[in-house]
Amino acid sequence: MKTTIGVLGEFGVIDQILAPLLPGDKASVEVGIGDDAAVLNLPRTHQLLATTDTLVEGVHFKTDSDPYLLGRKTMRVNLSDIAAMGGQPRWALLSMAMPPSMSLDWVREFARGLGEDGAAHGVALVGGDTVSSKGCITLSLTLLGSIGLGRAILRSSAQAGDLLYVSGTIGDALLGLNQTLGRPPLASADDKVYLERRHHLPEPRLALARGLQETDMIHAAIDVSDGLVADLRQLCRASRVGAEVRLDDVPLSPAAQRLVAQHGPELLHALVTGGEDYELLFTLPPAAAETMHHVAEAAGVTVTPIGVITAGEVNFSHLGKPVHFAKGGWEHF
Ligand code: ADP
Ligand code: MG
């Protein structure tokens, strides 16, 4: 008989699987899992960053998704939010709702993935909630981070005249999702492996963002979770600015380039509105560009200028012509 959560019970799951996962250090975790609330120590010189992301079976992942990869992704999407503020991830709270028939191996694998990527960034799991659901699995991770007082990188402080940069490459996650669903445009076997990995394992840009934050030259940043177009519009709205963006300059991986070459410019337009890139979109004054490139090199991340911040509207161009996007990216409702 396969062991289920129902057999081990809520406290079995907590004690045996979750509590040992990411204990954290005594200095910052005074009380972790086990009491009614965690007691955490933050230096007086720092502020708390708090973010949460929820993954719902059938909406964010398929029922037969690999739980290990899902655990890693759950941690990574939250790490990306802390990165976008320039912060240091520290503590996590995990809420899980699942049917009692859920296999214990599934939970173990999910926890292993979450633990691996949490440990890589010094995150401690300090609490959460484990409840039964009548149907689907819902996983929610809250990640707390720290940042020096007044040092958070906001999305609301872009200025007209700033250069607009994006890290890494855009569109791989959407193409990877299509590969996993067997949807066109289908890539070659090698490209499929690469693109699916980019879909399952986004790369939170923590080192880059912290480097930029420490050198004090960055004006505004947002992580690209809902699509480049939508997230740029968010940043511009928050900063009360516009932008001129050259889609020709949007960085694509070799795999994405091959598909765009085959399928034409409409595919590029789909990629810049597809979500889940988890790249960093940021602005800074032109005078800071050279230092920024050194920071990016030290972080081992490519950064590409894709436009400028203006006092006008948000405009996109491609091949010398304006491009209009009705819908900028993924929206739930
Ligand atoms: P309470 O009933 O007081 O909310 P619980 O009895 O549900 O607390 O949980 C006991 C302890 O286990 C608490 O410290 C809680 O934060 C922790 N916990 C419960 N579920 C999880 C989880 N999924 N991940 C991490 N810690 C958890
Ligand atoms: Mg409870």
Side-chain angles (χ1 to χ4, degrees), residues 3 18 35 85 94 113 145 156 192 206 208 251 255 258 261 289 308 328:
T3 313
L18 299 171
D35 214 316
M85 305 301 285
L94 173 66
S156 55
K192 177 172 152 67
L206 285 155
L208 171 66
R258 281 188 274 276
V308 292

Side-chain angles (χ1 to χ4, degrees), residues 71-241:
R72 298 188 71 179
K73 186 157 178 178
T74 304
M75 180 58 76
R76 284 171 178 235
V77 298
N78 279 282
L79 288 168
S80 176
D81 280 322
I82 298 291
M85 305 301 285
Q88 172 76 45
R90 303 186 76 112
W91 306 293
L93 295 127
L94 173 66
S95 288
M96 303 195 299
M98 40 185 62
S101 60
M102 198 71 205
S103 111
L104 216 48
D105 283 343
W106 194 99
V107 181
R108 282 205 186 90
E109 280 298 286
F110 175 78
R112 184 166 74 86
L114 189 96
E116 237 175 70
D117 285 340
H121 296 284
V123 173
L125 184 65
V126 298
D129 204 11
T130 308
V131 298
S132 71
S133 86
K134 296 266 185 238
C136 67
I137 308 168
T138 303
L139 305 158
S140 182
L141 191 75
T142 297
L143 190 59
L144 305 174
S146 64
I147 182 94
L149 276 174
R151 306 271 309 164
I153 307 169
L154 306 183
R155 53 175 76 170
S156 55
S157 33
Q159 290 174 24
D162 281 358
L163 301 178
L164 179 67
Y165 283 85
V166 68
S167 68
T169 58
I170 291 295
D172 295 333
L174 177 71
L175 291 169
L177 173 65
N178 286 341
Q179 308 309 302
T180 67
L181 298 175
R183 263 194 220 146
L186 294 179
S188 68
D190 285 352
D191 287 351
K192 177 172 152 67
V193 171
Y194 167 82
L195 294 168
E196 288 187 349
R197 189 182 161 82
R198 290 275 289 160
H199 161 64
H200 290 306
L201 293 176
E203 213 46 75
R205 300 303 185 185
L206 285 155
L208 171 66
R210 279 181 65 77
L212 295 172
Q213 187 269 348
E214 278 160 13
T215 48
D216 212 11
M217 59 180 65
I218 189 165
H219 277 168
I222 188 169
D223 72 324
V224 181
S225 53
D226 295 330
L228 180 70
V229 170
D231 289 315
L232 174 66
R233 283 180 173 155
Q234 294 278 5
L235 180 143
C236 287
R237 191 176 310 135
S239 298
R240 298 168 187 279
V241 294

Side-chain angles (χ1 to χ4, degrees), residues 289-311:
E290 197 184 324
T291 315
M292 183 276 295
H293 279 289
H294 293 304
V295 169
E297 205 170 302
V301 181
T302 60
V303 290
T304 309
I306 59 168
V308 292
I309 298 296
T310 67

